[in-house]
Each structure stands twice: as C-alpha cells, then as structure tokens.
Amino acid sequence: MVSQECTKLCVAFSQPPLPSVPETQSLVNSLESSCIALLSAFHGLPKSQGLTLHKDLRLCVLNILKAVRDLCVEAKNESGQQLPSVGNVWEKCNGLQNAPKDNKTSVLTVFKDQITMVQDALDEFQESMEQEDNLYPDLTDIPLRNGFQIPDQTGWREEDRQLLPAFLGLLKASKACIKKTKSIIATRGQCDREQDNNQLDSLASIVQTLSSHVDDFVLSTYPPVVHSNVRQQATVLADGLKELINTANSSHLCEGDHSWTEFLLRAINHNYQKIIELLSQN
C-alpha cells in the first residue's frame, strides 16, 4: 500500500543514522512498486463503468502520486519536513478510499455540487432584490417643493424592477430541474450496464454547464439592464435546462413515467416565455 511504504520511507529518514544506499534503494523500489500497482489497478477499470467515475478516480490517483513526489523531494533534501508530507500522502490515500464506488454515485456528486452553486446564485439574486427594496423606498408621496428632487436611483429602473419576479421564476425553475433530476437518479439510476452509464455521463456533462449559464443570466439582469443581453442569456439557460430534461426523458430514468419531465418542461417554458413577453413590453 502506498501510504504504508511512504511511512517506512519517512521513518527511515526521520533521524540519524540515515539509511545506506542499498537500504534507500530498497525503500524506493518498494514505494515504486506500490505506485505501479496503484496505476495498474486504475488502468484496469473499464471506461464502460462510467466516465464520471473514471474522472473522479483519476483525480484521486494523481493527487496521491503528487503527494508521493513531494515526500520524495523532502526526503532527498533532508529538510526534516517528511512527517507533514507523509501525512499528506495518507490524506490523499484516504480520499481514494472515500471516493465514489460507482458511476451513479459520482454523477450524484456532480449534481449536488451544481445545486449548491445554483442555490448560491439564487440567494445572491434574492438578496439583491431585498436590498433594492430597502435602498429605494416608495418616494411617490414626497411633495416636490423647495427645490427637492427625487434622487437618482443607481439600481434597477422602475420598468426593470417589474421584470425581477420573472427572472426569479426562471432561477427557481433551474434549481428545481437539477434537484428533481438528481432525486430521480438517486431512486431510479442504474450503473450496471454500459448504456446506463453512458446516459448518466451525458446528464453529468450537461448539468455541469448549467451553473455557469445561471451565473451569466444573473449577471445580465443586474443594472444597467440590457434587454437584448437578458433575452440571450435567458434563452441559453432555458435551452440548457430543456436539454437536461429531454436527455433524462430519453434515458432509463423515465421508463414508464414521463410525467415529471413533462411538468418540468412546462415550468421552463412558462418562466422563459414570461420573461420574453415582459421584455417585449418594455
């Protein structure tokens, strides 16, 4: 095991007398063999088990090998920093042990991360709306006399504020689509067949683009609002959401039940069309 061989190397170089050249060579050979065994095990994993899983495990293996390299550099330089370095190796090895055991678990992790990022964008947008309400109260009842003028508002224009609920609706629909798809994967997802893994990988690939689409859409809604830009970003986001749901709809997740995808597609179209209609009126 890599971590055990690294511990032997650390102990050998932790205090005088340092190991002889033959002893050092033996330690290095054992460590090298354990690293080769790790690589062989990784390359023995068929990609038919899922590309998302393969990427996760590849990252774990690379992290372990980088930590081993750092330990060897510390030992060579006799810096006395071998103990923290071997601790890093153990941490990376534990990361591999705790890595997803199948492609379904890896894909669910991707969806979980995307939900977190979309929720952050949603929270930020809602907070901006609340700050806007507090910053610019209703000034219509203040009489204009003695040279008093209503101050310029550097936030959303009045006509743009009417669009905010529609913007919020599309953001909530985005979160709902990702969250519901994740829930269906958790309950119905299969990863025993290559075809099922390919479908899960496709969903993971699509959902990984959605948080950036959400961010771009949110940025386009901040003042000064350019309606053509909002329309473009809303279209990109809606298209991405529909691609996710349609891909799920044609997968093993929906065998015999398409009601949830139909509901989400209606929600996407409703919120998107509402934005387009309001933009055309302003």
Side-chain angles (χ1 to χ4, degrees):
M1 188 177 182
V2 174
S3 55
Q4 293 175 343
E5 296 300 329
C6 285
T7 300
K8 293 179 184 178
L9 184 69
C10 177
V11 171
F13 281 86
S14 62
Q15 58 186 6
L18 297 179
S20 63
V21 172
E23 290 172 336
T24 300
Q25 189 63 55
S26 178
L27 290 167
V28 171
N29 288 343
S30 295
L31 178 56
E32 181 183 33
S33 296
S34 68
C35 290
I36 292 174
L38 173 63
L39 283 171
S40 297
F42 168 71
H43 287 296
L45 175 69
K47 289 190 176 181
S48 60
Q49 293 295 311
L51 293 180
T52 310
L53 174 65
H54 195 272
K55 290 176 183 177
D56 283 346
L57 296 181
R58 179 178 180 271
L59 180 60
C60 288
V61 171
L62 285 175
N63 286 338
I64 291 173
L65 295 178
K66 289 177 181 178
V68 171
R69 179 198 61 192
D70 293 341
L71 172 62
C72 292
V73 169
E74 297 295 346
K76 178 182 177 181
N77 294 337
E78 301 180 18
S79 64
Q81 297 299 313
Q82 295 95 322
L83 189 58
S85 295
V86 79
N88 188 40
V89 173
W90 276 89
E91 178 184 344
K92 303 307 180 185
C93 289
N94 288 336
L96 178 58
Q97 290 180 337
N98 296 326
K101 300 300 187 290
D102 55 46
N103 201 47
K104 174 181 174 179
T105 307
S106 284
V107 170
L108 286 171
T109 300
V110 171
F111 270 79
K112 180 182 178 181
D113 292 342
Q114 291 298 308
I115 290 173
T116 299
M117 287 186 279
V118 170
Q119 182 65 58
D120 288 344
L122 179 58
D123 291 342
E124 178 184 324
F125 185 77
Q126 289 180 304
E127 182 179 346
S128 296
M129 290 179 63
E130 293 171 0
Q131 290 176 347
E132 179 84 359
D133 291 339
N134 294 331
L135 185 60
Y136 300 116
D138 187 4
L139 300 176
T140 56
D141 293 334
I142 299 179
L144 299 180
R145 61 175 182 269
N146 297 328
F148 176 85
Q149 296 292 331
I150 295 178
D152 291 336
Q153 299 183 3
T154 58
W156 281 290
R157 298 175 302 173
E158 183 59 35
E159 56 266 33
D160 290 333
R161 286 193 218 174
Q162 298 174 8
L163 300 170
L164 299 186
F167 296 162
L168 184 61
L170 185 57
L171 291 175
K172 288 184 176 180
S174 301
K175 178 188 173 184
C177 287
I178 301 173
K179 189 174 181 179
K180 181 62 178 180
T181 306
K182 175 180 178 290
S183 175
I184 295 294
I185 292 174
T187 56
R188 302 181 188 175
Q190 302 293 327
C191 55
D192 296 327
R193 301 183 303 168
E194 182 176 1
Q195 177 183 349
D196 295 338
N197 279 316
N198 290 340
Q199 292 170 353
L200 292 177
D201 287 334
S202 294
L203 291 169
S205 178
I206 295 169
V207 80
Q208 283 178 308
T209 67
L210 292 181
S211 61
S212 61
H213 292 338
V214 167
D215 286 341
D216 290 341
F217 172 67
V218 170
L219 287 174
S220 74
T221 65
Y222 286 138
V225 178
V226 179
H227 288 191
S228 60
N229 191 28
V230 174
R231 183 180 293 104
Q232 178 184 357
Q233 297 304 329
T235 301
V236 170
L237 176 55
D239 287 347
L241 293 170
K242 285 187 279 190
E243 183 183 10
L244 176 69
I245 302 306
N246 285 326
T247 301
N249 194 48
S250 61
S251 73
H252 67 280
L253 301 176
C254 287
E255 294 177 355
D257 179 16
H258 299 273
S259 59
W260 68 277
T261 56
E262 293 171 354
F263 173 80
L264 290 175
L265 286 172
R266 286 196 299 269
I268 296 167
N269 287 324
H270 169 76
N271 286 282
Y272 171 69
Q273 289 299 329
K274 189 173 183 180
I275 290 174
I276 299 303
E277 291 171 6
L278 289 172
L279 287 174
S280 65
Q281 296 171 7
N282 287 276

